[in-house]
Amino acid sequence: MSEPSLVVEDLRVSFKTEDGPVEAVRGVSFAIESGEMLGVVGESGSGKSVTFLAVMGLLPKTATITGSIRLDGKEIVGAKDSVLRSVRGKAVAMIFQDPLTALNPTQRVGDQIAEMIRSHQKVSKDAAIDRSAQLLTSVGIPNAKTRVRQYPHEYSGGMRQRAMI
């Protein structure tokens, strides 16, 4: 039997501080099969965001990560930035609780989605914007052809979350 798409084993994340290391994540393990989604809940400060920022390779260089994170059988702890960029948004994605902080307020929503599309596919900017509108429609955003030209602050909170999906 094959390994699940994402396997996290004994993940530990700490940050160096003037007072010594702070352990933000201690021994987290889980596995996710292809097509599955994982929702994580917990108290503020319990390490939810740090766990998944580690999985996405988005933690600052000041973080020390140990344990194992395997995506489709390939170890990504310690992987090069180019490898991590190639999987973000294609093989693994994260929907932040507050998408306003994940969306760039100075760029149109459609341009941000198009940028992700173009990072994984060789398509023109116009084709990527058209695809962005299709994707917004697929998550229930009305008037998507108009909405792709709007900025994040012009979306409701729910619409921003759907745009991130």
Side-chain angles (χ1 to χ4, degrees), residues 32-89:
I32 303 173
E33 298 288 342
S34 180
E36 283 187 324
M37 289 180 266
L38 175 66
V40 178
V41 296
E43 293 180 25
S44 179
S46 64
K48 302 177 301 291
S49 294
V50 172
T51 295
F52 291 96
L53 289 171
V55 169
M56 300 287 291
L58 294 172
L59 288 174
K61 300 292 182 201
T62 57
T64 301
I65 304 168
T66 61
S68 176
I69 302 170
R70 291 186 309 280
L71 182 61
D72 295 327
K74 296 177 185 143
E75 183 61 48
I76 61 174
V77 170
K80 293 181 180 180
D81 286 341
S82 60
V83 171
L84 295 170
R85 275 193 306 274
S86 73
V87 299
R88 274 187 223 124

Side-chain angles (χ1 to χ4, degrees), residues 14-165:
S14 63
F15 295 94
K16 295 175 185 145
T17 71
E18 291 178 8
D19 297 327
V22 172
E23 294 180 341
V25 176
R26 298 181 198 115
V28 170
S29 298
F30 59 87
I32 303 173
E33 298 288 342
S34 180
E36 283 187 324
M37 289 180 266
L38 175 66
V40 178
V41 296
E43 293 180 25
S44 179
S46 64
K48 302 177 301 291
S49 294
V50 172
T51 295
F52 291 96
L53 289 171
V55 169
M56 300 287 291
L58 294 172
L59 288 174
K61 300 292 182 201
T62 57
T64 301
I65 304 168
T66 61
S68 176
I69 302 170
R70 291 186 309 280
L71 182 61
D72 295 327
K74 296 177 185 143
E75 183 61 48
I76 61 174
V77 170
K80 293 181 180 180
D81 286 341
S82 60
V83 171
L84 295 170
R85 275 193 306 274
S86 73
V87 299
R88 274 187 223 124
K90 186 173 185 179
V92 65
M94 178 173 165
I95 302 168
F96 293 89
Q97 183 177 354
D98 180 8
L100 190 55
T101 61
L103 291 166
N104 184 332
T106 67
Q107 291 183 346
R108 294 180 172 129
V109 172
D111 290 339
Q112 293 179 66
I113 296 170
E115 181 181 349
M116 182 56 63
I117 292 168
R118 294 187 74 203
S119 73
H120 295 291
Q121 301 173 18
K122 285 193 176 257
V123 297
S124 69
K125 184 172 182 179
D126 288 343
I129 291 291
D130 288 344
R131 181 69 179 132
S132 298
Q134 293 169 356
L135 291 169
L136 290 174
T137 298
S138 74
V139 294
I141 294 183
N143 306 315
K145 288 187 181 203
T146 301
R147 293 286 188 179
V148 293
R149 294 188 304 272
Q150 293 181 323
Y151 293 88
H153 74 272
E154 297 177 279
Y155 279 44
S156 70
M159 288 171 69
R160 288 190 294 261
Q161 280 193 319
R162 285 181 275 152
M164 291 303 300
I165 292 169

